Amino acid sequence: MNGELYRKLLAERYGPLDRLEAERFPVAVDRAEPVAGASEEQWRRKVREIATRYGWRLQYHTADSRRSDPGWPDEVFGHVSQRRTLFVEFKTDTGRLRPAQREWLPHLADSGFEVAVWRPRDLHTVLRVLGPERQRATLPPNFRRPAP
C-alpha cells in the first residue's frame, strides 16, 4: 500500500492526521518559538494552535466582537476529558485591558472558572496550562480589579 493511500485511510478512520500526530507526539509543542512583537490576532491563533495540539477540542471565538457586549474574553477553551473550561483574554505585550474586561474576568474567576490574560511573553505559562502539566490558569498577580 502506498504512503498517500495509507494516510488517507488513517485520516478517514481517525480524523485529521495533524490532530492524531499531535496526540501521539505532544512534546513537539514545547519547542514553540516565542512570538515577540506579534499582533493580538497572531498571538490568539498561535495559542489556539497549541490548544488544539494538546486536545482542547472545544474552542469558541466571537468572530466580530464589535457586535458583542463589551468585556467578554476573546476565547473560551474546553477540554472534554479533563473537564476544564478556560476563558482567555489575549493582549499584545503592551496592550491594556478595558474597564468592562476588568469586570468580566474577575467575575468569571470568582465563579470558579479558569481565567487568564495571556501575552506573547507568557508562552511558557500557556504551555504549562494547556499542556501535560495541567497547571490551573489564573489572572496575573498584578491584576487590578475595578472599584466597587
Side-chain angles (χ1 to χ4, degrees):
M1 180 179 291
N2 71 26
E4 187 175 320
L5 179 59
Y6 181 69
R7 290 178 67 84
K8 182 179 178 186
L9 290 172
L10 280 175
E12 286 175 6
R13 180 163 188 168
Y14 298 109
L17 288 182
D18 57 340
R19 191 190 87 218
L20 179 65
E21 291 166 357
E23 290 170 358
R24 290 181 58 208
F25 307 107
V27 292
V29 177
D30 290 336
R31 293 187 291 271
E33 300 273 333
V35 285
S39 71
E40 187 175 306
E41 180 61 17
Q42 290 169 324
W43 174 229
R44 184 189 71 77
R45 287 179 188 214
K46 180 68 171 177
V47 172
R48 194 175 176 117
E49 174 188 314
I50 293 167
T52 299
R53 289 188 172 266
Y54 281 119
W56 293 80
R57 289 191 352 243
L58 302 176
Q59 300 179 10
Y60 173 78
H61 172 70
T62 302
D64 186 355
S65 61
R66 294 172 298 180
R67 292 184 175 176
S68 300
D69 293 331
W72 189 252
D74 290 321
E75 195 93 22
V76 181
F77 295 105
H79 198 295
V80 176
S81 65
Q82 293 180 24
R83 296 183 177 169
R84 292 173 66 192
T85 302
L86 173 60
F87 293 85
V88 180
E89 180 61 36
F90 294 103
K91 292 293 178 191
T92 62
D93 282 330
T94 58
R96 295 182 180 196
L97 291 168
R98 295 186 308 269
Q101 293 169 324
R102 290 195 176 279
E103 287 188 57
W104 266 112
L105 297 173
H107 168 73
L108 290 165
D110 293 345
S111 298
F113 291 102
E114 291 184 65
V115 181
V117 177
W118 283 340
R119 300 170 186 276
R121 66 178 175 240
D122 299 324
L123 179 60
H124 294 293
T125 300
V126 170
L127 292 170
R128 285 193 303 270
V129 171
L130 298 177
E133 287 185 40
R134 299 181 181 182
Q135 175 180 312
R136 184 168 174 82
T138 59
L139 289 172
N142 62 348
F143 185 86
R144 289 189 334 260
R145 293 173 178 264

